[in-house]
Amino acid sequence: MSSYYEKVDGIERCIDDEIPFEIPASWAWTRLFSLCSNITDGEHKTPRRTAEYEGYYLLSARNIRDGHLSLEDVDYVDGKEYLLISKRCNPKRNNILISCSGSIGRVCLVPDDGNYVMVRSAAVAVPILVHSKYLMYALQSEIVQKQIKSKIKQAVQANLFQGEIRNLIIPVPPFDEQQRIVRKLDYLLIKTKL
């Protein structure tokens, strides 16, 4: 197996112990933070919720399902609370949500540019250098899920913190190959639902 190195703050170090397997020469093992313009979790203070939908959703880990966003059991906030929370996190179409409290490691794509904000039990990653759906599939893969499980901090309730999320190591192929992988996985997932 080849040796893998990364440079952090000008210091190069071997990361062979983090690399689960060899990948093709055209691929690269890459930290999640290198693929995203932003990775953050939701609001840490308890938001003021509203009983009725006023145009603004308050997402939590329970809304993140494997591969889709569920709005069946969702909370709401008013416009004022939305503006306050959206300064920290404002998930948009093709951003990736990760459950980071309770049922940790569930991942989905944001399907639209709805008015979403989040609480601390969810994190958002904003991909810039990778196909969003490829990254979602990579985060759902057994290899990355093992990393996630190994990084969980156990207290009264299990948590996955931003630092651990940012440092997940992802196998990244060239963009055209990412697109082929996405098409193939989409096709296979449709076939399994029939």
Side-chain angles (χ1 to χ4, degrees):
M1 180 165 144
S2 301
S3 284
Y4 293 88
Y5 296 86
E6 72 178 349
K7 191 178 273 191
V8 178
D9 298 327
I11 300 169
E12 188 173 82
R13 69 179 187 91
C14 182
I15 58 168
D16 286 348
D17 60 329
E18 295 182 64
I19 304 300
F21 55 83
E22 284 289 318
I23 54 177
S26 61
W27 292 41
W29 286 106
T30 308
R31 300 272 180 202
L32 185 58
F33 72 83
S34 296
L35 301 170
C36 299
S37 64
N38 189 28
I39 299 170
T40 190
D41 57 6
E43 180 60 45
H44 288 227
K45 297 176 188 167
T46 303
R48 192 178 66 246
R49 291 162 168 81
T50 60
E52 307 262 332
Y53 175 68
E54 297 181 19
Y56 307 98
Y57 294 102
L58 179 65
L59 304 176
S60 67
R62 74 173 175 258
N63 303 113
I64 303 168
R65 296 291 166 211
D66 290 318
H68 75 279
L69 180 64
S70 171
L71 299 178
E72 290 177 17
D73 182 19
V74 69
D75 290 328
Y76 311 109
V77 293
D78 62 22
K80 182 178 178 185
E81 195 74 3
Y82 171 81
L83 289 175
L84 182 69
I85 299 171
S86 66
K87 292 175 185 170
R88 177 180 178 86
C89 60
N90 190 12
K92 294 297 180 194
R93 177 187 311 269
N94 290 328
N95 290 177
I96 297 173
L97 301 181
I98 305 165
S99 62
C100 51
S101 185
S103 295
I104 295 172
R106 292 189 311 232
V107 179
C108 74
L109 278 181
V110 178
D112 55 39
D113 286 322
N115 293 318
Y116 303 113
V117 289
M118 309 175 321
V119 294
R120 157 66 193 102
S121 65
V124 61
V126 181
I128 54 169
L129 298 174
V130 66
H131 191 291
S132 294
K133 205 164 192 186
Y134 170 80
L135 186 55
M136 180 193 75
Y137 284 140
L139 288 166
Q140 290 175 321
S141 72
E142 182 180 350
I143 297 301
V144 178
Q145 287 292 309
K146 281 183 181 179
Q147 289 179 62
I148 288 171
K149 300 300 182 225
S150 75
K151 295 174 184 297
I152 292 172
K153 303 296 184 213
Q154 194 72 42
V156 174
Q157 183 172 358
N159 289 290
L160 179 67
F161 296 108
Q162 282 184 64
E164 286 83 12
I165 295 169
R166 294 174 54 78
N167 283 306
L168 293 171
I169 195 159
I170 311 291
V172 182
F175 195 79
D176 61 336
E177 196 162 346
Q178 293 174 38
Q179 291 175 308
R180 283 194 301 274
I181 290 168
V182 166
R183 281 193 302 272
K184 183 68 171 182
L185 288 173
D186 285 348
Y187 172 76
L188 291 171
L189 287 171
I190 288 169
K191 283 191 72 116
T192 60
K193 291 180 182 178
L194 296 178

